[in-house]
Amino acid sequence: MGLNRFVIAPLLLIVLNSLAYGAGSPEVRLRQVSSNLPSIRVYSDVGTVDQASSPSLHPQQFQAWIDGKEVSVSAVQPFQNTGEGVGYIFLVDISKSLPEEQFSQIREALSGWIQRLGTKDRAHIVTFGTRVSVIEDFSGDKDVLMTKIGALHLSDQKTKLHQALVHALELRQRTDPDLPARRVIVVLSDGKDEGSGFAVDDVLLKIQEMRVPVFSIGYSSLRGSDKGKYLDVLHRISRASGGVFLPANTDSLLEIYSEIRDVIQRVFVLTLQCSFCREDGQQHQIQVNFQADLKAQNDEINVRFLPRRTESVPKKKFWQTIPWWVYGITGLFLIVLSVLIFRRTRNIKTPEESDLQPSILAAETGGVEEDLKGIAMRWTQISGEHVGKVYSLTLKGQGTVGSSESCDITLASERPSISGNHCELKLEKEAVLIRDLHSENGTLLNGVPIMNDFHRLSSEDIIAVGLIKFRISIGEVL
């Protein structure tokens, strides 16, 4: 009996500890990733672990793999200790499906959120209804942001929710110097989209390409099965993106917005070191395993390592290296030479044009002119506010695309994501080439950033000019 007591007691203690641990075991949830290779930062929830207990978390408790190859975890710390900011993307439904009382709470909640922005935080405000509109681009100016929020009002009959989400996800590409690497989307909606042209699957595919967590509040005045159906869609989108879905129910919207803000701030940041990773624009899988006591939790996330944009200094042309005095002497010599030639030739009688041989006259007057070859192109917009709009161009030699009126394809209505002279087209040996012109938000060819070297275009290629995407069609050589 004594021996049994010594054996049973420790076993019972182990079982009780396991049960207690299982009730509050931390769950790892990878929310998003930013990279500056070879360093990679993974933003993760660690379930029941509180920020105050973070000293008990050590890199040795984590294992990480990228595409199945193990990488080292060099650090783990609460997000609030990193000194980073957050780029908040607020999507505001301005359709009349919302009661005025709830909309007033949304304005009040967003105003309170803006007041609490940190010095490195930025906010981007977008309204969606019959159309999707940027009310204020990423800004840290609290007064401006508060004014814009205070002016919001219900006006529209439709809700282009999916188009607003696609716009917000594409902001992941922005590389403004003072814009935080971490972005999150905050939206209140009933989950129903009306007339945006994007299906749920389109949004989910965009999430795979440009992962930004969607923190959604489900508020619905729909009746019957539609209510649960569309709220479930919103839940799926949030879950797939690494975000959180919270039903409004009877709780105050102010409290729910505050809870979402706390969840966003409550993550831990894992720093990984990957010596074999390359900025190739391709999709890679990151897996993280967290070990606490005798139990392990794991999660995975897909990410693209996009090439970093560097501002290159244009090389000086040879004529820019010539001293000014050389230009002065050359100019004086040309003036003297012109005077001498004028004096020598002014008394020479010039034959009448009618005396010239027809062949010479034709050559001098351009009677024989060779037509320049060109190639027809169609740019069909597949994202942004003007989906379906077609831009046509007959390319001869070279052409430019941008928001400037002087461009061959002018995208003035899509500011501010498109630079004045954004990218350049070139016709060379019946092939159409494209390159970026040091634009602010970059140019992507089939999802891969291109820099300043020319790349060949083919029909059905997808070109992203800033945040706007186009499907390319190339016709016959004219």
Side-chain angles (χ1 to χ4, degrees), residues 330-463:
T330 303
L332 182 60
F333 171 77
L334 291 175
I335 291 173
V336 173
L337 182 61
S338 299
V339 171
L340 292 175
I341 293 174
F342 175 74
R343 287 180 176 177
R344 183 178 179 86
T345 60
R346 67 177 180 175
N347 292 324
I348 298 177
K349 186 176 180 180
T350 303
E352 297 294 329
E353 278 191 355
S354 58
D355 296 331
L356 295 177
Q357 296 179 7
S359 60
I360 298 176
L361 179 61
E364 290 183 348
T365 59
V368 179
E369 182 178 332
E370 183 181 355
D371 291 336
L372 293 175
K373 288 185 177 181
I375 192 165
M377 299 186 68
R378 286 165 56 90
W379 288 49
T380 304
Q381 188 166 334
I382 60 174
S383 73
E385 187 174 338
H386 303 288
V387 173
K389 185 173 182 179
V390 177
Y391 298 85
S392 298
L393 168 68
T394 299
L395 181 63
K396 294 183 178 181
Q398 293 178 309
T400 55
V401 179
S403 60
S404 172
E405 295 293 339
S406 63
C407 291
D408 297 274
I409 295 181
T410 300
L411 308 172
S413 60
E414 299 296 347
R415 294 188 181 101
S417 73
I418 297 177
S419 301
N421 291 305
H422 197 102
C423 57
E424 180 182 9
L425 300 171
K426 182 180 180 181
L427 182 59
E428 186 175 282
K429 297 181 180 178
E430 300 186 2
V432 179
L433 310 178
I434 187 171
R435 69 170 178 173
D436 186 68
L437 292 176
H438 302 282
S439 64
E440 182 178 354
N441 293 310
T443 304
L444 281 73
L445 172 57
N446 296 324
V448 179
I450 60 176
M451 297 303 178
N452 308 117
D453 296 326
F454 279 106
H455 297 260
R456 181 165 184 166
L457 280 179
S458 301
S459 285
E460 300 303 316
D461 279 346
I462 302 298
I463 291 293

Side-chain angles (χ1 to χ4, degrees), residues 169-294:
L169 290 164
E170 289 179 340
L171 293 173
R172 181 68 184 88
Q173 302 177 65
R174 290 276 292 271
T175 56
D176 308 33
D178 62 344
L179 190 57
R182 188 184 179 202
R183 320 276 163 81
V184 299
I185 300 169
V186 181
V187 59
L188 181 144
S189 174
D190 59 12
K192 185 176 182 180
D193 176 84
E194 298 174 297
S196 72
F198 292 96
V200 177
D201 288 342
D202 294 327
V203 178
L204 294 174
L205 285 173
K206 180 61 65 175
I207 287 171
Q208 292 180 13
E209 181 184 351
M210 300 288 174
R211 176 145 172 167
V212 180
V214 178
F215 293 84
S216 61
I217 301 171
Y219 178 89
S220 179
S221 58
L222 298 173
R223 297 180 179 180
S225 60
D226 279 354
K227 180 175 181 179
K229 172 185 174 182
Y230 289 112
L231 288 179
D232 182 62
V233 168
L234 198 60
H235 191 179
R236 286 173 56 201
I237 290 172
S238 291
R239 179 71 184 179
S241 69
V244 169
F245 169 84
L246 292 177
N249 296 327
T250 57
D251 296 335
S252 165
L253 293 181
L254 295 174
E255 295 176 1
I256 296 176
Y257 272 100
S258 179
E259 183 178 349
I260 285 180
R261 187 184 185 281
D262 290 342
V263 171
I264 293 171
Q265 294 289 327
R266 207 164 52 220
V267 300
F268 290 85
V269 182
L270 281 62
T271 303
L272 314 183
Q273 300 298 329
C274 181
S275 59
F276 58 83
C277 293
R278 298 292 180 266
E279 295 168 333
D280 55 10
Q282 302 302 310
Q283 194 170 80
H284 301 274
Q285 184 184 72
I286 297 179
Q287 296 174 290
V288 172
N289 183 79
F290 173 61
Q291 184 78 31
D293 296 332
L294 301 177

Side-chain angles (χ1 to χ4, degrees), residues 33-90:
V33 175
S34 67
S35 62
N36 186 12
L37 297 179
S39 181
I40 302 168
R41 296 170 74 80
V42 180
Y43 302 87
S44 172
D45 278 345
V46 188
T48 58
V49 178
D50 185 71
Q51 297 272 356
S53 65
S54 61
S56 64
L57 291 181
H58 303 285
Q60 292 78 12
Q61 293 177 271
F62 294 86
Q63 286 181 290
W65 298 264
I66 298 180
D67 295 335
K69 298 180 182 179
E70 188 166 6
V71 295
S72 64
V73 182
S74 60
V76 54
Q77 59 180 325
F79 175 74
Q80 293 178 337
N81 293 357
T82 64
E84 294 183 49
V86 180
Y88 296 105
I89 305 166
F90 296 112

